[in-house]
Amino acid sequence: LAKTTQPISMDSYEGQEVNITCSHNNIATNDYITWYQQFPSQGPRFIIQGYKTKVTNEVASLFIPADRKSSTLSLPRVSLSDTAVYYCLVYSNYQLIWGAGTKLIIKP
Amino acid sequence: NAGVTQTPKFRILKIGQSMTLQCAQDMNHNYMYWYRQDPGMGLKLIYYSVGAGITDKGEVPNGYNVSRSTTEDFPLRLELAAPSQTSVYFCASSSAERDIAKNIQYFGAGTRLSVL
């Protein structure tokens, strides 16, 4: 069964690029990796999803190495409004496996 | 544009009481999920449903029951509430991609429950 590991917290400054890595072993070759963002008192919100190499959308990029044992969420030029908790989600052995979340604090 | 609606937003229960948390979605999604989130922790799946009349246990189903009589509604029942069930409960829904891992989940705003 897969297990996900994320850093508990990270700090950065406005305008910087932030990279958050999630380690996940034992996921299948074609299983998707999904990242969500959660603000206080709200439900999580989808950010990005992929299963290999690199995916980019209007808010983030997702990098997945060939061994698929980790994935990195990249947030370009963060702002104060990016302060939130970020979760990775994988599906392994017929189970949804959520990471414990990374609390990202952006400073002015 | 409602999406996923959860009621109530807040509730305080006494030990041993029962209640039903309501969840409704208007996106015609087949998949629905119930999670709990304890303070400072990640999400734990309680139950999920892949369609009307079909439900299955998640990681932490004990003390809860669900039913799915319609596509839109997925209520979560707490029987004999205990302090350990104090948590924030989130309902989510997703479309029925053939690959469940590809499903993008849409979440409600949550129900904050305290059992005293």
Side-chain angles (χ1 to χ4, degrees):
Chain A
L1 186 66
K3 180 180 177 181
T4 57
T5 303
Q6 303 178 233
I8 294 173
S9 64
M10 296 178 68
D11 292 352
S12 190
Y13 292 90
E14 282 191 292
Q16 299 296 306
E17 178 184 75
V18 171
N19 296 312
I20 305 174
T21 297
C22 175
S23 299
H24 33 72
N25 55 357
N26 295 329
I27 64 171
T29 303
N30 295 323
D31 278 346
Y32 278 76
I33 300 157
T34 309
W35 284 80
Y36 288 81
Q37 176 191 56
Q38 186 180 29
F39 296 113
S41 302
Q42 295 185 24
R45 183 177 69 173
F46 170 82
I47 302 174
I48 197 166
Q49 180 183 75
Y51 73 96
K52 66 177 182 180
T53 60
K54 178 184 175 181
V55 178
T56 298
N57 63 20
E58 62 276 9
V59 298
S61 294
L62 178 60
F63 299 92
I64 303 169
D67 66 8
R68 289 170 48 80
K69 292 185 177 180
S70 66
S71 61
T72 298
L73 171 71
S74 181
L75 303 172
R77 297 180 300 280
V78 294
S79 64
L80 296 176
S81 63
D82 291 316
T83 293
V85 180
Y86 293 82
Y87 294 95
C88 62
L89 169 65
V90 300
Y91 183 69
S92 174
N93 199 27
Y94 307 102
Q95 292 195 37
L96 291 166
I97 311 293
W98 288 81
T102 297
K103 185 172 184 178
L104 176 64
I105 298 174
I106 305 301
K107 302 175 183 178
Chain B
N1 201 9
V4 178
T5 302
Q6 292 184 239
T7 56
K9 287 184 172 23
F10 305 94
R11 184 72 183 269
I12 298 175
L13 284 181
K14 294 182 179 179
I15 295 173
Q17 286 186 319
S18 300
M19 78 163 293
T20 299
L21 281 67
Q22 301 292 344
C23 176
Q25 53 92 8
D26 62 0
M27 297 173 282
N28 200 32
H29 285 166
N30 280 348
Y31 285 70
M32 295 188 76
Y33 316 78
W34 273 107
Y35 293 93
R36 60 176 288 171
Q37 185 174 40
D38 297 333
M41 305 294 285
L43 294 160
K44 293 188 176 181
L45 183 63
I46 304 172
Y47 272 96
Y48 68 99
S49 169
V50 300
I54 306 170
T55 63
D56 208 347
K57 297 178 180 179
E59 181 183 359
V60 290
N62 291 344
Y64 307 95
N65 280 301
V66 293
S67 59
R68 184 94 181 273
S69 57
T70 67
T71 298
E72 294 78 19
D73 300 298
F74 190 39
L76 177 71
R77 178 83 176 163
L78 277 71
E79 305 281 1
L80 300 174
S84 61
Q85 293 178 305
T86 293
S87 190
V88 180
Y89 292 84
F90 288 102
C91 177
S93 71
S94 67
S95 61
E97 296 281 349
R98 186 177 64 181
D99 179 356
I100 188 173
K102 198 178 178 182
N103 286 358
I104 295 172
Q105 297 182 44
Y106 296 84
F107 285 80
T111 294
R112 188 175 299 272
L113 176 68
S114 294
V115 182
L116 305 174

